[in-house]
């Protein structure tokens, strides 16, 4: 059994070393969930446009569909990672996301992001309320607002 384990570890290490940095980043993006790569998006996009432009015959879409490849976007995103991380760092990130803690992080990230967005919206509302209350108490906000010290020039009708 130990022999099979050692062979498995060897094969895994050979596989990870044989991957290019580009391939590792593609795996990292897929594994981390940071950017949902889905070839199905292409089909969803074309279906969206077919519904929007229902009067267009199916034959017209045949030449458009191949142009809606998500591959260019995927390559751009991979390039972003290539510019920000060394290959050794990508290896570390892959190790993390494959770990139990990394999987927990991936699983909980969408909920955390939703909670952060809600907290940010609440914070912004509270700040707005605080600023408006203080300015109102100091007499700077009135309903209706006080006249402007420099009112705009009156509109003069054009002569015909």
């Amino acid at each position: 059994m130990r022999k099979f384990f050692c062979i498995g570890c060897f094969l895994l290490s050979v596989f990870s070393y044989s991957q290019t940095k580009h391939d590792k980043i593609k795996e990292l993006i897929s594994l981390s969930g940071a950017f949902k790569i889905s070839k199905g998006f292409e089909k969803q996009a074309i279906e969206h446009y077919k519904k929007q432009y229902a009067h267009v015959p199916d034959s017209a879409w045949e030449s458009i569909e191949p142009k809606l490849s998500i591959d260019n976007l995927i390559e751009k995103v991979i390039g972003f990672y290539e510019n920000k991380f060394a290959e050794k760092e990508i290896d570390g990130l892959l190790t993390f996301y494959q770990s139990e803690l990394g999987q927990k992080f991936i699983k909980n990230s969408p909920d955390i992001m939703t909670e952060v967005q809600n907290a940010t919206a609440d914070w912004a509302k509270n700040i707005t309320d605080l600023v408006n209350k203080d300015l109102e108490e100091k007499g700077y906000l009135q309903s209706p607002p006080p006249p402007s010290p420099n009112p705009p020039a009156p509109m003069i009708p054009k002569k015909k």
Side-chain angles (χ1 to χ4, degrees), residues 21 24-25 28 81-97:
K21 182 179 179 184
K24 290 177 183 180
I25 292 171
L28 174 65
Y81 279 77
E82 285 177 332
N83 292 332
K84 302 289 183 194
F85 296 99
E87 187 167 0
K88 190 173 185 175
E89 294 169 322
I90 296 296
D91 291 338
L93 288 168
L94 281 169
T95 300
F96 169 71
Y97 284 117

Side-chain angles (χ1 to χ4, degrees), residues 3-69:
K3 187 176 182 180
F4 289 115
F5 177 73
C6 291
I7 292 171
C9 288
F10 173 74
L11 291 174
L12 181 62
S13 67
V14 168
F15 174 71
S16 66
Y17 281 63
S18 67
Q19 283 184 302
T20 65
K21 182 179 179 184
H22 186 274
D23 292 335
K24 290 177 183 180
I25 292 171
K26 202 170 197 176
E27 181 182 349
L28 174 65
I29 292 170
S30 176
L31 186 63
S32 71
F35 179 73
K36 299 286 185 199
I37 299 174
S38 172
K39 296 294 279 179
F41 175 76
E42 296 167 1
K43 291 189 186 308
Q44 291 173 355
I46 200 71
E47 290 305 317
H48 167 78
Y49 287 113
K50 282 182 177 181
K51 286 179 185 173
Q52 186 174 353
Y53 303 110
H55 64 283
V56 176
D58 286 341
S59 60
W61 296 108
E62 290 172 9
S63 65
I64 296 172
E65 286 184 46
K67 297 174 186 175
L68 297 181
S69 173

Side-chain angles (χ1 to χ4, degrees), residues 139-148:
Y140 293 111
L141 295 182
Q142 299 173 16
S143 185
S148 173

Side-chain angles (χ1 to χ4, degrees), residues 2 30 123:
R2 183 180 168 116
S30 176
W123 175 82

Side-chain angles (χ1 to χ4, degrees), residues 133-151:
K133 181 181 177 202
D134 280 10
L135 291 176
E136 189 175 344
E137 287 174 358
K138 293 175 181 171
Y140 293 111
L141 295 182
Q142 299 173 16
S143 185
S148 173
N150 300 317

Side-chain angles (χ1 to χ4, degrees), residues 123-137:
W123 175 82
K125 182 188 179 312
N126 290 339
I127 293 297
T128 300
D129 292 347
L130 179 114
V131 168
N132 288 339
K133 181 181 177 202
D134 280 10
L135 291 176
E136 189 175 344
E137 287 174 358

